[in-house]
Amino acid sequence: MKLLVVGSVAFDAIETPFGKTDKILGGAATYIGLAASVMNVKSGIVSVVGGDFPQEDMDLLNNRGVNTEGIEIIKEGKTFFWSGRYHNDLNTRDTLITEVNVLEHFDPKIPDSMQDAEVLLLGNLHPGVQLSVLEKMNHRPKLVILDTMNFWMDTAWEVLMEMVSKTDVITINDEEARQLSGEYSLVKAAKKIHAMGPEFVIIKKGEHGALLFHEGKVFAIPALPLEEVFDPTGAGDTFAGGFASYLVKKETFDFETMKSAIIVGSALASFTVEKFGTERLKEISPAEISERIAQFKDLTTFEVEV
């Protein structure tokens, strides 16, 4: 099976209490694609970059088995750029610079080699762009996973609602779930979002883990306690990439498989935060993944006698 990823390939400049970077490789689709490569899953990215995008970064994706035929290069344009500064708690950040550049008029072009992808992961983009991807595919993928954010709830509500109605799995954080549903209780929020269309609702809670909802059933997983969190950029995208990649490997989309997929996604995300940008994703070994998943198992497995 194949994973088709639609999202940003970008530059980031990041500042945390532990250091700062100049422009480095970033973007939701980049993190997702690299997560898929770690899982040995065939993936393809649909995105757009400018003429300033280095060939070495394109080579990195290709060498990791990521199909880049769908990444359009606009030679006279500039690649999307974001700069941010994280506060001491690493949970809050200030956006210093956002340059949309070529992403402003992004018109996704799906290569023939990825038209048969069984799983589609739509990264955080304008919902109209996300909808256009579904319209351009020859066949609806077996599983459509949607990531969105409160900005689109504020600025493109009706289009977002149409996109949500065509989604199988939605992944958002707790603040976004409350805004989307109008409910403070995450259980009530998940029920309302489920009624909008998605069969599965994933609510991410940052350092407090994640929740999976499906037909009245709930699965909760904590975040893995880490000694050092260096840079949280891309952790949510890595989570989504690991989650989707596990489902591709298993070729099964039921609740039990998604429970395992959330653990895998959380494990990969826990690596991402250990270094700046995508650096840690480039070096993860299968043994490290197995060890970290075992840590999650130890963290959540117990016996109680009453």
Side-chain angles (χ1 to χ4, degrees), residues 61-108:
L61 294 170
N62 286 319
N63 293 337
R64 297 298 296 261
V66 180
N67 183 332
T68 61
E69 292 177 27
I71 301 180
E72 181 183 4
I73 302 174
I74 300 178
K75 292 185 178 180
E76 66 277 14
K78 296 178 67 176
T79 303
F80 179 92
F81 171 63
W82 175 84
S83 175
R85 179 190 298 121
Y86 287 90
H87 297 183
N88 287 335
D89 63 1
L90 292 177
N91 288 320
T92 53
R93 69 187 185 190
D94 298 320
T95 293
L96 305 179
I97 301 171
T98 300
E99 297 176 359
V100 180
N101 297 327
V102 295
L103 200 63
E104 183 176 2
H105 302 293
F106 177 38
D107 181 21

Side-chain angles (χ1 to χ4, degrees), residues 159-278:
V159 182
L160 176 61
M161 287 299 97
E162 184 179 354
M163 183 63 242
V164 170
S165 72
K166 299 177 184 298
T167 298
D168 300 306
V169 183
I170 186 170
T171 170
I172 49 179
N173 66 30
D174 45 1
E175 177 188 358
E176 293 158 350
R178 289 179 172 119
Q179 181 172 346
L180 186 62
S181 65
E183 295 284 355
Y184 184 81
S185 162
L186 294 181
V187 176
K188 290 182 178 179
K191 286 182 179 179
K192 278 200 172 181
I193 296 169
H194 175 69
M196 295 174 185
E199 187 177 354
F200 299 89
V201 177
I202 297 173
I203 300 178
K204 299 172 290 185
K205 300 181 65 184
E207 63 179 338
H208 302 297
L211 298 165
L212 169 66
F213 296 88
H214 172 63
E215 295 182 348
K217 294 179 286 189
V218 186
F219 177 68
I221 180 173
L224 191 69
L226 299 172
E227 290 187 16
E228 293 186 9
V229 176
F230 200 77
D231 171 25
T233 308
D237 299 314
T238 304
F239 170 88
F243 170 82
S245 297
Y246 183 83
L247 297 177
V248 171
K249 286 180 74 77
K250 293 299 181 181
E251 301 186 8
T252 305
F253 309 136
D254 59 20
F255 183 69
E256 291 302 314
T257 308
M258 290 199 183
K259 286 164 63 174
S260 298
I262 279 189
I263 294 172
V264 171
S266 298
L268 291 188
S270 73
F271 287 111
T272 301
V273 303
E274 294 179 339
K275 288 189 176 182
F276 272 123
T278 60

